[in-house]
């Protein structure tokens, strides 16, 4: 088997603001495998500033993967355990080489017989910018939206009040994602305010690796808390089990390229379901290559909650995609 990779920089149509930073571009690496006349493509979607991967050693590990691509998958898995986006790209490429074309996880979804319900993502910005995004999603018949919050909380709270006055809980489910933006002292008050607005859940209200404080929040919160960044950097099953047993969140958010690929995601799901912890899957700014594979994987998990997927429409130079968004349903097209 032979392997090579191509660096690629995705460019945003508009700068994308989170509570951590403003993004104008996103680097990624396209991994290509060839064996006995077959070809497989996967995406190693490094997320600098968020992933636990060592950015200095990243390309060396990618070179190692290409040089040792014929080793047993268990050996490669052990070597890449702390490089989840590399392992994800390898998993994708191996599956694509097996199934061909744009296929990774064949199912009723890839046979165009079924679709995936998704949430509408509202990016941070000034109130009018966020209102316009929300109005667009409502016009497209979304019943679940997710707002990034934590940069301008007073304005964001007013916006949430405005939305809830116009749309009841029955009409619109609202999720929020703080990306760890709130301080430990202010978080309980903010959770109370969100609960009064009938918000579905909040992702990562405080920074990760503050397990004691997060445990207290999850125990006493008037609305469900979802762990997101808290999962990053926990590479072994014992670590995963320990953090869920200790914190006991209501939900976890799964991003394979940050938490161990599809196999690592399966480990998180198995643990969560044993503990009656809910979950859903979210993309992490992959290109259309990784997003296609992620969407196919997501469908196979049969989770009925709205998922955090899309069609890669954020980028001006994305790759061709078989994914098509019709209102709030993601479809695969041949």
């Amino acid at each position: 088997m032979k392997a090579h990779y191509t660096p690629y920089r995705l460019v945003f149509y508009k700068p994308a603001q989170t509570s951590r930073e403003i993004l104008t571009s996103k680097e990624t690496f396209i991994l290509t495998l060839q064996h006995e006349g077959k070809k497989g493509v996967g995406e190693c979607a490094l997320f600098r500033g968020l992933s636990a991967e060592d950015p200095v050693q990243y390309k060396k590990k990618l070179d190692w993967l290409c040089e040792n691509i014929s080793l047993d998958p268990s050996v490669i898995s052990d070597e890449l355990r702390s490089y989840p986006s590399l392992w994800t790209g390898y998993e994708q490429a191996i599956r694509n080489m097996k199934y061909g074309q744009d296929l990774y996880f064949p199912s009723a979804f890839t046979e165009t017989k079924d679709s995936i319900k998704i949430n509408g993502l509202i990016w941070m910005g000034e109130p009018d910018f966020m209102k316009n995004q929300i109005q667009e999603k409502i016009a497209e018949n979304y019943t679940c939206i997710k707002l990034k919050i934590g940069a301008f909380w007073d304005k964001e709270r007013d916006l949430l009040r405005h939305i809830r006055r116009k749309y009841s809980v029955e009409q619109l489910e609202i999720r929020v994602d703080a990306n760890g933006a709130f301080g430990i002292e202010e978080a309980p008050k903010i959770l109370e305010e969100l609960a009064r607005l009938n918000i579905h859940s909040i992702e990562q209200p405080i920074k990760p690796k503050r397990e004691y404080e997060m445990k207290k929040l999850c125990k006493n919160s008037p609305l469900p808390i979802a762990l997101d960044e808290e999962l990053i950097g926990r590479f072994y099953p014992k670590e995963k089990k320990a953090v869920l047993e200790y914190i006991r969140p209501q939900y976890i958010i799964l991003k394979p390229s940050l938490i161990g690929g599809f196999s690592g995601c399966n480990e998180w799901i198995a643990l969560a379901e044993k503990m009656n912890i809910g979950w859903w899957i979210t993309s992490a700014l992959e290109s259309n290559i990784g997003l296609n594979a992620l969407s196919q994987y997501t469908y196979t998990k049969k989770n009925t909650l709205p998922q955090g997927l899309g069609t890669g429409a954020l980028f001006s130079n994305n790759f061709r995609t078989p994914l098509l968004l019709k209102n709030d349903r993601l479809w695969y097209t041949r």
Side-chain angles (χ1 to χ4, degrees):
M1 190 185 306
K2 295 182 179 179
H4 70 273
Y5 67 88
T6 304
Y8 195 77
R9 183 164 292 276
L10 296 156
V11 179
F12 285 85
Y13 277 110
K14 297 178 181 178
Q17 182 169 349
T18 74
S19 59
R20 289 185 299 268
E21 59 186 327
I22 296 176
L23 303 171
T24 57
S25 66
K26 164 76 167 53
E27 70 179 314
T28 194
F29 299 85
I30 308 305
L31 177 67
T32 302
L33 308 185
Q34 291 177 312
H35 183 61
E36 297 180 348
K38 294 183 178 180
K39 177 182 174 182
V41 177
E43 179 180 6
C44 302
L46 172 64
F47 201 140
R48 289 184 185 272
L50 183 58
S51 174
E53 297 162 311
D54 183 346
V56 176
Q57 297 297 319
Y58 193 85
K59 286 188 179 180
K60 290 182 180 179
K61 282 290 182 182
L62 191 45
D63 289 333
W64 179 92
L65 174 60
C66 291
E67 291 164 6
N68 295 278
I69 198 67
S70 295
L71 290 177
D72 189 90
S74 64
V75 176
I76 294 176
S77 175
D78 287 343
E79 181 69 24
L80 300 182
R81 186 174 293 275
S82 58
Y83 289 83
S85 70
L86 292 184
W87 175 246
T88 304
Y90 170 82
E91 285 185 306
Q92 290 175 13
I94 289 292
R95 296 190 70 89
N96 184 230
M97 189 162 59
K98 178 179 179 179
Y99 294 110
Q101 296 182 319
D102 294 315
L103 292 175
Y104 296 86
F105 294 86
S107 67
F109 176 68
T110 57
E111 292 171 2
T112 71
K113 295 176 181 177
D114 203 0
S115 59
I116 304 169
K117 185 177 177 64
I118 67 170
N119 63 236
L121 179 60
I122 309 301
W123 284 94
M124 282 180 168
E126 291 299 320
D128 286 344
F129 171 67
M130 296 180 77
K131 280 182 183 178
N132 288 338
Q133 292 181 77
I134 293 164
Q135 289 169 357
E136 288 174 4
K137 298 301 181 187
I138 298 298
E140 293 166 358
N141 296 317
Y142 279 81
T143 59
C144 175
I145 61 171
K146 170 181 162 180
L147 282 78
K148 297 278 190 177
I149 64 170
F152 316 100
W153 171 239
D154 289 342
K155 293 180 179 179
E156 292 157 358
R157 179 182 52 210
D158 291 342
L159 177 60
L160 288 168
R161 287 172 177 166
H162 169 77
I163 300 168
R164 191 48 90 205
R165 281 195 296 267
K166 292 188 67 174
Y167 304 101
S168 68
V169 177
E170 291 72 27
Q171 292 174 299
L172 185 65
E173 178 180 292
I174 303 173
R175 300 171 176 175
V176 296
D177 182 3
N179 291 129
F182 299 119
I184 293 170
E185 299 300 324
E186 65 179 332
K189 180 183 176 183
I190 290 170
L191 295 181
E192 291 284 352
E193 292 176 314
L194 291 170
R196 286 196 290 271
L197 293 168
N198 292 304
I199 302 303
H200 172 270
S201 57
I202 179 171
E203 295 179 30
Q204 203 69 43
I206 63 174
K207 286 183 174 16
K209 305 300 186 287
R210 299 181 180 184
E211 290 92 342
Y212 176 72
E213 290 82 3
M214 186 67 86
K215 176 184 176 71
K216 286 200 325 184
L217 283 180
C218 289
K219 182 178 180 180
N220 300 312
S221 176
L223 82 160
I225 291 175
L227 301 188
D228 182 357
E229 287 89 345
E230 200 73 58
L231 310 186
I232 296 173
R234 303 182 192 272
F235 302 121
Y236 294 89
K238 285 185 178 179
E239 294 177 293
K240 298 174 183 180
K241 183 179 180 183
V243 72
L244 293 187
E245 285 184 335
Y246 182 72
I247 295 179
R248 291 283 173 171
Q250 287 75 31
Y251 293 100
I252 57 174
I253 309 302
L254 303 170
K255 298 172 179 172
S257 63
L258 292 168
I259 61 169
F262 301 125
S263 53
C265 203
N266 288 339
E267 290 177 354
W268 281 110
I269 290 172
L271 288 168
E273 291 185 342
K274 284 182 181 178
M275 300 180 205
N276 294 315
I277 295 169
W279 57 271
W280 64 84
I281 294 170
T282 299
S283 54
L285 298 180
E286 295 90 350
S287 77
N288 279 333
I289 294 172
L291 186 57
N292 177 33
L294 176 58
S295 299
Q296 293 183 33
Y297 167 78
T298 298
Y299 180 82
T300 68
K301 306 316 290 183
K302 300 299 182 182
N303 187 316
T304 58
L305 295 174
Q307 304 296 300
L309 306 173
T311 56
L314 292 171
F315 303 116
S316 63
N317 60 338
N318 215 331
F319 302 99
R320 180 190 64 83
T321 180
L323 301 177
L324 176 66
L325 196 56
K326 295 181 182 178
N327 295 324
D328 64 349
R329 309 291 305 194
L330 189 64
W331 292 85
Y332 183 91
T333 61
R334 290 179 181 268

